Amino acid sequence: MRKRKGLQAVPTPSDAGRAVARSRLQVTEDAPRAGADAGKGVPSWRDLLDYQRDVFERTVLFWDTLRQRADNMLEHERAGLPPLLDFRHEMLIDARRFERPANYALLRITEVGGDCWDDCVDLRKRPVVFVDPRAGHGPGIGGFKRESEVGMAMREGHPVYFVIFFPEPEPGQTLADVLHALRRFVEEVARRHPGRPPVLYGNCQAGWAVTLLSADCEGLVGPAVLNGSPLSYWAGESGVNPMRMAGGLLGGAWLAHLAADLGDGRFDGAWLAQNFENLKPEKAVWEKYARLFGDVDGERERFLEFERWWNGFYFLSREEILAIVENLFVGNELEQGRLRICQGCFADLRRIRNPLVVFASYGDNITPPQQALGWIPAVYRDTDDLKRAGQRIVYLTNSHVGHLGIFVSAGVARLEHRAILESLEDVEALPPGLYEMKIDNPSGDPDCHRPSYEVRFEPRRVEDLEVDYPREAFERVRRVSELNETLYRTFVSPWIQACTTPWSAELLKWLHPMRTSRYLVSEAFNPWMRGLASLAEAVAEGREPLRPDQPLLAREREAFAEVGRDIERLREVRDAACERAFGLLYGDEGALR
């Protein structure tokens, strides 16, 4: 019998004996379930043994994944770094055969999965031309998996064309050569679809190329979509966007010139990729690998798929990288109408007449919304000026997705990019002005169509987009860069070029830390990795992952998260020091705080 005292049961002697027996039996029978309340008690010896086994297995599989990444990288290099498109395609135009050659080509997507062009393309819809960035990596970010920009456009029935580029630039290739090649591509697509001007899709750095094409191809192109595209390079937020100050802290464009000279006239894109990783080391240097180690069974294939693209480094010509750094990164000439295309020809963004759709994200630390939108008030004095110019600019923002997520996130592709494509006719029908595109999706399901979600275009004022930043300080950076570049080009560059050979350039290429950190764990460079591959195969056959609530596994995740926060705090201290140094060197330090 039990006697109640308040809310507690007072056991009788016979109850106490049975309770002891039950507790002993429970320890024996429920040992595998010990520690179900993660972190609330001391882990059992069984938990410790299971965790040690699991750590050993995950360590083997983790290093085997890095071995596979290295082998994939070398295999991709031997194959000539072909574009990583997950769609069948045919080449229509190879710009390497032009009178003024450029290392670009135009592809037509011919098949999506088992569906061919005739089965999935509606010729009544506008063709879409995708242009990927040359920012260190090869083409394919817009279509290296099915749930992507390319996949969504094909699923919506649009004829899709893709602009690729090759690993090596043509000798002496200039930005003017590239832009002339892109214009030829646009003319070819327009010829194939008369009466339906193509939609231009520019990702990241390709956004300014698409913008220049829009200014140069008046009447030839339809709406242009700029995804995470920096057009106002000086804009940004203090403490959030330190990359805009890198040019000033490094003395301007001369360092890029030096790197191109050491590369025998070519600039190695691995330097740009390294800059991206250094921008947020807590993500690129720690969290990426911690996530792989913590869930090697679920993350392995996703990790290898992305790294295959991330580790394919392409080159730019000396002329290209200098034009990009001097005119865009340091000079910010595009929004000011001073970007020189060729003799007597300067870019003027006011000449753009086709509608523009600008997609930016507040989670993007590489191209923040200020850099994606700050050019608008620099080109148009106010909203009335924009309306008098007859232009329609629509922008939409995401609250959290990162820079690469704008192009590769499956959720973004299924919702935002589908909404953009389905709303292009509505955009063209808008009166001249500035609008913010709002997507109302009550279901929360990204894979939905109208009328399951609704798109609204809310009028906005150009004046509200004005960005306050120390313009005078950045003007000083531009002048210092011009001085340093003149001194380097006159007194140093000839000697560096005289001492550089193709052999020395190739040696520097393979000694770059972005490559050595990868290929040194490949079977080709490290024979011991063959034994690891055999061990990993045996481990995978008998692999039994721990349950997610295992107490030691939960503590491991907490420790990994704390290390990530420590690295983030150190990065914030570094960025604050850089901002302070920039302010002391170029003045207006108060404006940066």
Side-chain angles (χ1 to χ4, degrees):
M1 298 277 305
R2 290 182 182 272
K3 299 179 181 180
R4 297 280 179 180
K5 183 180 180 181
L7 297 176
Q8 295 178 341
V10 181
T12 62
S14 58
D15 290 333
R18 284 194 294 271
V20 170
R22 282 196 304 270
S23 64
R24 289 174 178 169
L25 182 63
Q26 187 173 0
V27 168
T28 324
E29 293 180 348
D30 295 345
R33 296 190 296 114
D37 295 330
K40 294 184 178 179
V42 178
S44 68
W45 62 269
R46 180 69 62 85
D47 290 330
L48 182 59
L49 291 178
D50 287 345
Y51 179 72
Q52 289 177 334
R53 171 192 58 79
D54 188 67
V55 166
F56 170 76
E57 293 177 352
R58 283 189 288 137
T59 300
V60 172
L61 296 176
F62 173 84
W63 283 103
D64 186 63
T65 303
L66 298 188
R67 174 198 64 81
Q68 184 63 50
R69 177 182 70 171
D71 290 344
N72 289 344
M73 174 183 172
L74 294 177
E75 179 186 0
H76 193 208
E77 184 82 25
R78 293 189 190 102
L81 296 174
L84 295 175
L85 284 171
D86 194 25
F87 304 90
R88 292 184 182 273
H89 53 266
E90 64 174 348
M91 183 181 297
L92 300 180
I93 302 178
D94 187 345
R96 293 175 298 181
R97 298 187 175 93
F98 289 175
E99 182 180 354
R100 287 288 302 173
N103 66 331
Y104 277 72
L106 176 66
L107 306 181
R108 184 178 71 128
I109 306 300
T110 60
E111 187 175 303
V112 181
D115 299 326
C116 66
W117 172 279
D118 295 330
D119 296 329
C120 57
V121 168
D122 184 354
L123 293 178
R124 294 171 297 179
K125 292 190 174 183
R126 290 180 182 271
V128 183
V129 180
F130 289 91
V131 186
D132 264 357
R134 281 181 73 200
H137 304 93
I141 190 65
F144 81 97
K145 60 182 183 179
R146 297 302 168 91
E147 298 291 342
S148 60
E149 297 168 338
V150 170
M152 190 51 58
M154 291 292 286
R155 186 180 297 180
E156 292 300 308
H158 292 272
V160 173
Y161 298 84
F162 201 92
V163 174
I164 66 165
F165 41 90
F166 300 96
E168 296 288 344
E170 293 296 307
Q173 177 175 305
T174 65
L175 281 184
D177 298 330
V178 172
L179 292 173
H180 292 159
L182 294 179
R183 181 183 173 90
R184 293 271 295 272
F185 296 165
V186 170
E187 291 172 345
E188 173 62 19
V189 175
R191 185 189 65 80
R192 288 170 172 263
H193 301 271
R196 294 177 179 81
V199 178
L200 302 183
Y201 242 79
N203 292 327
C204 186
Q205 291 291 341
W208 57 259
V210 164
T211 305
L212 294 176
L213 275 179
S214 298
D216 189 45
C217 299
E218 183 178 347
L220 192 63
V221 297
V225 183
L226 312 179
N227 298 305
S229 301
L231 299 182
S232 184
Y233 288 82
W234 291 350
E237 183 180 349
S238 177
V240 180
N241 309 120
M243 181 180 280
R244 62 199 174 121
M245 293 174 290
L249 296 175
L250 296 174
W254 76 273
L255 197 58
H257 196 164
L258 171 62
D261 286 344
L262 292 173
D264 198 25
R266 307 170 308 158
F267 180 85
D268 191 350
W271 291 111
L272 298 176
Q274 187 177 54
N275 287 341
F276 292 147
E277 290 200 346
N278 290 338
L279 193 62
K280 269 199 172 183
E282 68 271 21
K283 298 288 186 182
V285 180
W286 173 255
E287 186 179 302
K288 177 171 68 173
Y289 297 101
R291 187 188 303 118
L292 174 64
F293 181 80
D295 183 21
V296 70
D297 305 282
E299 286 287 318
R300 177 186 174 95
E301 294 305 320
R302 186 203 62 80
F303 177 87
L304 290 175
E305 179 187 41
F306 176 77
E307 291 291 299
R308 191 176 182 88
W309 172 79
W310 182 255
N311 297 311
F313 307 118
Y314 280 45
F315 286 83
L316 291 90
S317 71
R318 181 192 292 113
E319 292 78 5
E320 284 180 294
I321 190 62
L322 281 176
I324 291 172
V325 174
E326 290 175 343
N327 292 299
L328 301 176
F329 296 162
V330 173
N332 196 35
E333 307 281 24
L334 180 58
E335 71 174 21
Q336 302 176 62
R338 300 195 305 238
L339 177 58
R340 180 177 177 273
I341 305 299
C342 52
Q343 186 66 33
C345 178
F346 292 83
D348 183 2
L349 300 188
R350 292 185 66 92
R351 291 207 305 263
I352 300 176
R353 292 293 181 265
N354 54 310
L356 299 179
V357 179
V358 181
F359 183 19
S361 172
Y362 288 100
D364 183 354
N365 65 325
I366 293 177
T367 305
Q370 295 93 333
Q371 292 187 7
L373 300 170
W375 65 275
I376 299 174
V379 174
Y380 302 99
R381 290 188 301 274
D382 51 33
T383 308
D384 290 336
D385 188 25
L386 175 64
K387 291 179 179 179
R388 284 193 298 269
Q391 179 57 295
R392 289 141 295 172
I393 300 178
V394 174
Y395 71 90
L396 70 157
T397 59
N398 188 290
S399 61
H400 65 277
V401 71
H403 183 69
L404 293 177
I406 294 176
F407 324 123
V408 302
S409 169
V412 170
R414 295 199 302 268
L415 183 60
E416 278 93 341
H417 288 299
R418 173 186 278 128
I420 290 172
L421 290 169
E422 290 185 345
S423 304
L424 290 178
E425 292 185 1
D426 298 334
V427 169
E428 290 185 294
L430 290 171
L434 177 68
Y435 302 87
E436 182 176 4
M437 179 177 173
K438 294 285 190 177
I439 304 174
D440 297 327
N441 183 20
S443 68
D445 179 15
D447 197 11
C448 59
H449 293 262
R450 288 180 175 180
S452 298
Y453 71 87
E454 180 185 358
V455 173
R456 294 179 287 110
F457 299 98
E458 299 182 356
R460 294 289 183 260
R461 299 172 67 247
V462 170
E463 297 86 335
D464 294 336
L465 295 181
E466 290 187 8
V467 180
D468 184 20
Y469 61 86
R471 181 177 294 272
E472 288 300 319
F474 285 101
E475 286 287 356
R476 295 186 190 102
V477 171
R478 181 180 58 80
R479 291 193 292 268
V480 168
S481 175
E482 290 174 353
L483 174 61
N484 289 342
E485 167 59 18
T486 299
L487 292 173
Y488 174 81
R489 182 176 63 250
T490 304
F491 298 108
V492 181
S493 179
W495 294 99
I496 299 293
Q497 293 185 38
C499 296
T500 300
T501 68
W503 286 3
S504 66
E506 194 70 10
L507 178 64
L508 290 177
K509 167 188 171 180
W510 287 104
L511 288 179
H512 194 287
M514 286 295 290
R515 291 186 178 86
T516 56
S517 61
R518 271 70 170 173
Y519 68 69
L520 286 181
V521 295
S522 69
E523 293 184 18
F525 283 84
N526 191 344
W528 292 100
M529 300 305 291
R530 298 173 185 172
L532 180 72
S534 300
L535 179 59
E537 186 177 350
V539 167
E541 289 181 0
R543 173 82 173 134
E544 293 183 8
L546 293 179
R547 64 182 187 277
D549 62 348
Q550 212 269 5
L552 290 172
L553 201 59
R555 294 183 185 183
E556 175 192 283
R557 289 193 293 267
E558 293 173 1
F560 283 177
E562 185 58 35
V563 172
R565 287 190 289 270
D566 289 340
I567 297 175
E568 182 179 8
R569 285 189 283 267
L570 289 173
R571 190 260 304 165
E572 290 172 350
V573 171
R574 179 202 67 183
D575 293 347
C578 289
E579 287 195 353
R580 180 64 175 169
F582 184 91
L584 292 173
L585 285 170
Y586 298 101
D588 292 331
E589 60 268 23
L592 288 168
R593 292 198 298 267

